[in-house]
Amino acid sequence: MRIILLGPPGAGKGTQAVHIAESQAIPHISTGDILRANVKAGTELGAKAKTYMDAGDLVPDEVIIGMVADRLDEDDAENGFLFDGFPRTVPQAESLETLLNDRDAPLDVVLRLAVPQDEVVRRLTGRRTCQQCGRIFHTVFDPPATEGRCDDCEGELTQRDDDTEDVVLNRLEVYRAQTEPLENFYWERGLLRDVEAVGEVDRVKDRIDTILTDLR
Ligand code: AMP
């Protein structure tokens, strides 16, 4: 399966992506995760991306596209993938289309996770991520048993630099202006499927599973 997860920041893409990647046995490719790993490791790419990320703005298309092209050439992406946080602009979607056409590997589906804006702000400002294993918690909706510690590995839970309220509001504006046009792009290609992404995580999971099962 070749799948794209679309939806505003805070729609639950990261959480659902872990589940889908496991159930479909495909790699979870998050451009945000790749960029954060580069920032952490102090690479040239990370240095280039950091200013944009801290402000909640998009990293330039050419940087992202090069990074994704390299990732698609890795062996584990040969039989499918799940993109989370990519594409974010129409030029990125067009470049992806070319990359996939060249590989004779068309997309199967674009899942759009739909959530109201006030809910998204609540979710993001309370989000905490384990530094060690990457598991995501929420201070109110899904708190860890011990404050600040991961239930799975006892790693430290931290807030992403771009999950503060003012940066979150900018990220939502950037989504509306630059990423929302992709909904039409994929709708025109008959690939867009809507998922209501409110309510319990497991219910959202079930809705996604139903769509994916129907596609098989
Ligand atoms: P995310 O983890 O997907 O919310 O991404 C965090 C930040 O990384 C975004 O606010 C952007 O600054 C940057 N980023 C991630 N993916 C992309 C992308 N496909 N295009 C441009 N910037 C991106």
Side-chain angles (χ1 to χ4, degrees):
M1 281 268 199
R2 288 178 284 270
I3 307 171
I4 288 175
L5 266 184
L6 199 60
K13 297 189 297 294
T15 302
Q16 295 299 333
V18 171
H19 161 69
I20 300 169
E22 199 178 285
S23 73
Q24 303 293 319
I26 49 179
H28 167 202
I29 305 178
S30 155
T31 43
D33 283 350
I34 300 174
L35 292 169
R36 278 184 291 278
N38 274 277
V39 170
K40 208 170 168 182
T43 67
E44 200 180 317
L45 172 68
K48 223 186 265 179
K50 190 175 182 337
T51 338
Y52 298 98
M53 295 173 77
D54 284 348
D57 292 328
L58 294 183
V59 173
D61 287 338
E62 59 276 13
V63 175
I64 300 291
I65 291 160
M67 197 174 93
V68 167
D70 289 346
R71 183 64 186 84
L72 277 177
D73 284 336
E74 286 179 36
D75 290 346
D76 66 345
E78 204 171 311
N79 295 315
F81 52 74
L82 170 72
F83 277 123
D84 157 12
F86 174 86
R88 286 278 234 282
T89 63
V90 171
Q92 289 183 19
E94 287 167 345
S95 298
L96 177 65
E97 200 163 55
T98 306
L99 285 173
L100 296 180
N101 282 342
D102 290 348
R103 288 163 175 75
D104 209 7
L107 287 172
D108 291 294
V109 68
V110 177
L111 299 171
R112 172 176 58 180
L113 302 190
V115 186
Q117 169 152 339
D118 53 344
E119 169 77 10
V120 153
V121 175
R122 262 200 309 274
R123 287 185 185 186
L124 289 176
T125 50
R127 171 161 71 179
R128 298 292 180 271
T129 309
C130 174
Q131 284 307 289
Q132 218 156 274
C133 74
R135 181 167 163 190
I136 299 166
F137 293 83
H138 190 282
T139 50
V140 179
F141 307 134
D142 182 19
T146 308
E147 202 188 320
R149 289 280 150 208
C150 177
D151 290 356
D152 289 345
C153 71
E154 296 194 350
E156 186 194 357
L157 303 184
T158 58
Q159 183 178 42
R160 270 172 51 170
D161 291 342
D162 59 354
D163 275 347
T164 54
E165 189 157 353
D166 52 337
V167 181
V168 163
L169 293 176
N170 186 45
R171 286 164 65 206
L172 288 172
E173 179 50 29
V174 166
Y175 183 83
R176 199 195 52 72
Q178 297 186 257
T179 310
E180 243 172 41
L182 290 183
E183 296 176 2
N184 199 40
F185 181 95
Y186 286 119
W187 182 80
E188 284 174 354
R189 285 155 177 76
L191 289 168
L192 192 71
R193 299 293 299 269
D194 260 323
V195 181
E196 201 194 324
V198 285
E200 281 177 40
V201 170
D202 282 348
R203 294 291 78 71
V204 181
K205 238 184 231 180
D206 292 344
R207 288 175 204 135
I208 291 174
D209 286 345
T210 305
I211 294 174
L212 297 180
T213 308
D214 283 352
L215 284 173
R216 286 204 169 265

